[in-house]
């Protein structure tokens, strides 16, 4: 009987869990509700109960478990110390030591959820076959993860890969959720795209299919742009310019082989990739320009795949 | 008798060499002329002759040599393949394999010279005691090196740390040496600072001590700014804004503990550090903002120290 490992992705609403074999093949996946009561103090108990139950249910023993890889929605430094998770009510503590102790010594490794998702995409998703990769998640916000030589870069405060808060868009004067102004997220997230469209139509009195859509979304902007609507194309040009600028900066720092684009906005597919690529290649330093742009493939499962990959490669 | 290693820094004019003990303490240093004739084909011969001669001269055998770490002025990928060095006339080849063979099997490790200098500063200079560090060199150009967990990040084309060509300064419309416009280097290098001063005085007819200096240099701009000259302070504000923006971007990607500033411009000392730090802290994402800014300490010896560190930590 081969060995197994667990990939756990703790979110603000649910905890996604996966059991994998030693080749990172998914055996089964489940979902638990995230109990945020009492400072999130039930969350690790619930995860342990699930893991212990699943080990038995599948007919394994603790000694058959390679390890547990866990992603959490907050900064985690390389030794496993969580530097607070506001969403969960967690304060500073070492999650790998604590969870490992609760699991009778099963090895645990932890990182920030965006970093773990990036690891999932490079081992089992859109970044397969690469060693140096950056993942950018375009969703409600803009997140990211940096993988060097197959390993997650956590950063000294667990904040590596926080590409969404690069100061890129000096034309944005409103305040970002982070307190600054001009962050990439304010232009390139789903919310940001809508805001840029609002700004565009406030300045330019032009005809556009978008104007007829009440409460248009980022998807509407992208669909209209794909359909040839000039205003929507102009809006996406602004978004692509900022994304290309940010990714050219990223490439100057770590010179990745591949950049994987994920998150809800990435459902726009090849149109999005083409727009980002054109802008990136215009702005990136020549020796860093040879980057493969790929769409993420694992969707919401990236975190559990990345957790499993962390467990398998744990030293 | 303890073991030794060599740190070699190949430049366009001279090759700096250092013999170190196994604790990275400098035993002696020398300099060879860089013979660029015939496509730089004599350079490795000269390095080998120097190493073989020095081993004997100091009374050691090949088996006493831990290894050789070498920095070259061009992109090098992790396996030791040099992707051309225009300055030296070198084409694509694996320098570690070639040099190791020429040295009867002594182990060799190679990287780009800016990366090796960064490693030197983190092991023996201004970055001592840190694990995650970025070095920025403000000289004729702007270069850099990224160290994660004590190791050089080379990047997929050996172009990691090329911070000088980040697209930062959209107000610069002239072409950079790299072919793009708006690179950090066009504002923050010694040449860039002078250009920004020229641009400032072309736009603003103001009094300044600088105007009276014929062919003022970056040092003149910095000295006048330190002395309270308002125009020089305004010019340095532009430079600091761009540097802070670039380093805030860097911090969003790798979240370093420390940023070490080197190169000729860094002789401006604490004034420069204070200016960069203020601008950085204004623009960096809060979780990445806690960065120690340090001055480089090793000057032109950073490359040989970094070479020795590469040799000692070689796997």
């Amino acid at each position: 009987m081969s060995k197994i490992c667990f990939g756990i992705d703790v979110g603000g609403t649910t905890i996604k869990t996966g059991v994998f074999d030693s080749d990172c093949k998914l055996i089964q996946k489940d979902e638990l509700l995230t109990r945020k009561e009492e400072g999130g103090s039930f969350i690790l108990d619930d995860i342990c109960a699930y893991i212990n139950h699943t080990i038995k249910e599948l007919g394994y023993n603790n000694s058959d478990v390679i390890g547990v890889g866990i992603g959490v929605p907050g900064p985690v430094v390389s030794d496993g110390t969580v530097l607070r998770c506001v969403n969960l009510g967690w304060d500073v503590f070492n999650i790998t030591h604590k969870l490992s102790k609760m699991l009778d010594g099963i090895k645990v490794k932890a990182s920030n959820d965006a970093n773990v998702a990036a690891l999932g995409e490079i081992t089992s998703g859109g970044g397969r076959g690469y060693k140096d990769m950056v993942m950018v998640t375009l969703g409600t916000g803009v997140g990211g993860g940096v993988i060097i030589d197959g390993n997650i870069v956590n950063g000294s405060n667990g904040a590596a890969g926080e590409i969404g808060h690069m100061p890129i868009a000096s034309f944005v004067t409103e305040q970002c959720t982070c307190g600054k102004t001009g962050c990439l997220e304010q232009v390139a997230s789903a919310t940001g795209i809508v805001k840029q469209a609002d700004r565009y139509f406030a300045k330019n009195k032009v005809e556009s299919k978008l104007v007829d859509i009440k409460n248009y979304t980022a998807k509407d902007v992208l669909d209209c742009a794909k359909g040839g609507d000039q205003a929507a194309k102009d809006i996406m040009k602004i978004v692509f310019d900022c994304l290309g600028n940010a990714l050219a900066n990223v490439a100057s720092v770590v010179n990745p082989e591949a950049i994987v684009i994920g998150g809800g906005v990435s459902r726009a597919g090849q149109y999005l990739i083409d727009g980002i690529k054109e802008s990136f290649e215009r702005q990136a330093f020549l020796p860093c320009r040879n980057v493969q742009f790929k769409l993420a493939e694992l969707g919401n499962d990236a975190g559990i795949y990345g957790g499993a990959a962390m467990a398998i490669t744990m030293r």
Side-chain angles (χ1 to χ4, degrees), chain A:
Chain A
M1 207 160 174
S2 76
K3 294 207 164 197
I4 57 166
C5 64
F6 288 86
I8 312 283
D9 183 13
V10 183
T13 313
T14 62
I15 301 164
K16 292 179 183 65
T17 64
V19 188
F20 294 80
D21 69 14
S22 56
D23 294 324
C24 221
K25 270 213 170 127
L26 183 64
I27 296 170
Q28 73 171 56
K29 62 177 181 173
D30 297 283
E31 229 171 276
L32 316 171
L33 281 176
T34 308
R35 288 200 286 159
K36 290 191 282 191
E37 304 91 278
E38 300 189 27
S41 60
F42 303 123
I43 294 173
L44 293 189
D45 290 331
D46 290 349
I47 291 171
C48 285
Y50 162 80
I51 289 175
N52 286 327
H53 174 260
T54 307
I55 292 171
K56 276 203 197 104
E57 190 185 44
L58 295 175
Y60 289 94
N61 296 308
N62 278 17
S63 61
D64 300 317
V65 180
I66 302 166
V68 175
I70 182 165
V72 303
V76 183
V77 295
S78 295
D79 73 352
T81 303
V82 176
L83 303 177
R84 289 194 181 82
C85 286
V86 183
N87 274 353
L88 307 179
W90 286 357
D91 206 346
V92 179
F93 74 106
N94 190 304
I95 192 172
T96 60
H97 293 175
K98 186 164 181 183
L99 194 55
S100 180
K101 204 172 162 191
M102 291 167 74
L103 289 166
D104 292 327
I106 290 177
K107 283 186 182 173
V108 176
K109 193 156 182 180
S111 186
N112 169 266
D113 53 4
N115 296 343
V116 179
L119 188 66
E121 287 290 344
I122 202 172
T123 48
S124 311
R128 253 191 327 273
Y130 299 108
K131 277 167 57 188
D132 299 328
M133 184 209 78
V134 172
M135 179 163 169
V136 183
T137 312
L138 308 175
T140 317
V142 172
V146 178
I147 309 288
I148 302 285
D149 205 17
N151 295 307
I152 289 172
V153 176
N154 285 303
S156 64
N157 306 309
E162 288 288 1
I163 293 163
H165 298 284
M166 275 191 172
I168 291 293
S170 54
F171 58 85
V172 175
T173 51
E174 292 152 59
Q175 200 169 47
C176 179
T177 51
C178 78
K180 299 190 301 153
T181 56
C183 292
L184 174 65
E185 178 165 303
Q186 294 182 279
V187 178
S189 64
T191 336
I193 292 172
V194 171
K195 284 227 167 123
Q196 292 317 307
D198 293 347
R199 191 175 145 267
Y200 180 89
F201 290 119
K203 277 204 334 200
N204 303 286
K205 298 292 165 210
V206 292
E207 280 186 24
S208 164
K209 282 182 189 162
L210 270 176
V211 184
D212 304 329
I213 304 173
K214 204 183 156 191
N215 297 329
Y216 51 74
T217 62
K219 185 179 182 303
D220 294 326
V221 178
L222 277 151
D223 284 345
C224 286
K226 282 188 203 179
D229 185 278
Q230 190 57 48
K233 281 165 71 180
D234 291 348
I235 294 158
M236 285 312 300
K237 169 85 166 58
I238 296 166
V239 175
F240 290 144
D241 278 350
C242 287
L243 269 169
N245 187 343
L247 295 176
N249 291 336
V250 170
S252 281
V253 183
V254 292
N255 178 210
E257 289 171 280
I259 293 177
V260 173
I261 313 286
V265 174
S266 74
R267 289 195 206 107
Q270 197 58 39
Y271 173 79
L272 187 80
I273 294 287
D274 291 344
I276 295 174
K277 195 167 187 273
E278 186 281 324
S279 165
F280 171 83
E281 291 182 347
R282 193 163 22 87
Q283 299 182 74
F285 185 42
L286 182 62
C288 317
R289 208 174 287 168
N290 178 24
V291 169
Q292 302 300 313
F293 281 86
K294 300 278 176 183
L295 289 166
E297 292 177 3
L298 301 175
N300 291 332
D301 288 345
I304 57 171
Y305 275 93
M310 275 208 296
I312 290 168
T313 59
M314 203 163 5
R315 276 175 293 192

